[in-house]
Amino acid sequence: MGMLAQFRGCLLGLAIGDALGAPVEFDKLTAIRARFGPDGITDLIPWHSLPAGAYTDDTQMTLATIRGMLAAHAAGEPLAGEGWTVAVYRAYLDWLKTQDDPAQRRAPGNTCLGALQSGKMGRLDAALNYSKGCGGVMRTAPVGLAFRGAEAFRQGAEFAVITHGHPSGYLSAGFMAELIGHLLDGASLDEGLDRSSETLRIYAGHEETLHKVAQARALAGNGTAIDPAIREIGEGWVGEEALGVAIFCSLRFPDDYRDGIIAGANHDGDVDSTASMAGAILGTKLGVEAIPAEWIDKIENRQEIESLAAEMYKIWG
């Protein structure tokens, strides 16, 4: 497996996970199974007036993160400098403008909207709010394709704190970014989790996120059934829970992209976010070849996603 396959796997993997969970984002598991059967939702289907493969604000904002990073690189901004955060902030403001178009408004989070509409950019030393919603962590996986180690962690956290000011809202994002970087470099999932946890402990307010990571690892390792395990971790509406659910699903199905995101898309909570994050983890770990071809063919905006993956690989691969 080449590294380009991992770049493609990360971006396509997260978009497809998002699209899988999108039609049932606000449904309870009992309602999902009543509609689709005991296995829940297992395939891409149309939702609202959108075709099968359409994704939500999670992928929209992830792509905005990438565009911001590419803009910073093109402008020659020093790596990990403030210019990168400003460039991503501007990309988020561009995304905000698209939300005036009903066709592009895909259930955006109120915290993201309110923070970006404030006219101010949140910073690690000057947070805008105390929100720990998962709107920060769900958009930072590709940061780990450009940065590594503690640098990836800090950059992911800085991109998330633009809108989410609670430590669990931005430290979960930093953790996700660093984890992706370790997987890209060939680390096992357990190795990546160990190293990212070491970085996490450096930051004040890390306790909730560290607890959810440890809890997810314990539940995946002791054989707890999927439904009660995810209920114990949480519904994923907040950053540390979304990260925990995605880690659990990835550990439970470390070699099966399809089953991993299906687990992430079938529970009582923020299923498009948790399936998307599991998709990014497993897509990076296993490469694009692990993703069903029929899903890749259906995903919205595939050409741009593939183009962004190729451009990122050319620069940082």
Side-chain angles (χ1 to χ4, degrees):
M1 175 180 62
M3 192 174 279
L4 176 58
Q6 292 179 278
F7 275 73
R8 295 175 64 215
C10 179
L11 302 196
L12 289 167
L14 67 87
I16 290 168
D18 183 11
L20 179 66
V24 293
E25 179 179 4
F26 300 106
D27 295 340
K28 294 294 185 182
L29 182 58
T30 52
I32 296 172
R33 287 178 172 162
R35 180 179 174 189
F36 296 102
D39 294 330
I41 189 166
T42 60
D43 202 359
L44 303 180
I45 63 167
W47 57 285
H48 296 172
S49 59
L50 299 167
Y55 48 67
T56 77
D57 63 306
D58 293 40
T59 301
Q60 289 178 337
M61 294 201 75
T62 301
L63 298 181
T65 302
I66 296 170
R67 294 186 195 106
M69 291 195 296
L70 291 172
H73 172 79
E77 295 288 349
L79 278 178
E82 185 182 16
W84 284 74
T85 306
V86 172
V88 169
Y89 172 59
R90 289 171 178 162
Y92 292 160
L93 293 178
D94 289 340
W95 166 81
L96 180 64
K97 295 174 185 175
T98 71
Q99 298 307 288
D100 292 334
D101 179 357
Q104 294 301 315
R105 195 176 177 94
R106 311 282 178 84
N110 289 330
T111 299
C112 288
L113 293 174
L116 294 173
Q117 289 166 347
S118 74
K120 300 178 182 179
M121 185 181 81
R123 303 172 186 270
L124 291 175
D125 60 354
L128 291 180
N129 53 46
Y130 205 56
S131 173
K132 62 174 181 174
C134 71
V137 65
M138 57 79 165
R139 64 185 191 235
T140 54
V143 177
L145 302 179
F147 297 90
R148 297 293 188 278
E151 213 171 60
F153 192 108
R154 181 170 182 85
Q155 206 66 66
E158 288 187 345
F159 293 168
V161 81
I162 289 172
T163 56
H164 288 71
H166 190 289
S168 298
Y170 60 79
L171 295 181
S172 56
F175 190 103
M176 182 70 174
E178 180 172 346
L179 176 60
I180 292 295
H182 290 310
L183 296 175
L184 186 67
D185 287 340
S188 70
L189 189 47
D190 277 323
E191 289 170 340
L193 291 168
D194 286 342
R195 295 172 190 172
S196 302
S197 295
E198 290 175 7
T199 306
L200 174 62
R201 291 186 181 94
I202 296 171
Y203 287 84
H206 66 265
E207 290 81 6
E208 285 184 341
T209 301
L210 187 63
H211 170 67
K212 286 301 173 184
V213 171
Q215 184 182 43
R217 298 180 77 175
L219 290 166
N222 67 17
T224 303
I226 293 172
D227 292 354
I230 293 178
R231 279 197 298 271
E232 188 169 341
I233 296 168
E235 295 186 353
W237 298 108
V238 293
E240 77 275 16
E241 291 180 2
L243 178 66
V245 172
I247 289 170
F248 170 81
C249 295
S250 301
L251 287 169
R252 182 52 60 89
F253 299 102
D255 299 309
D256 193 327
Y257 170 87
R258 182 181 181 276
D259 283 352
I261 69 164
I262 286 174
N266 286 278
H267 58 86
D268 283 337
D270 194 359
V271 291
D272 64 315
S273 297
T274 54
S276 175
M277 292 167 61
I281 294 169
L282 292 171
T284 305
K285 178 180 182 290
L286 302 174
V288 70
E289 295 89 351
I291 302 175
E294 63 270 21
W295 284 354
I296 294 175
D297 289 341
K298 289 180 180 178
I299 196 64
E300 178 183 9
N301 209 18
R302 176 186 174 183
Q303 185 173 357
E304 184 185 7
I305 294 172
E306 293 268 24
S307 176
L308 289 172
E311 189 171 358
M312 292 189 78
Y313 171 73
K314 184 178 179 180
I315 297 169
W316 294 297

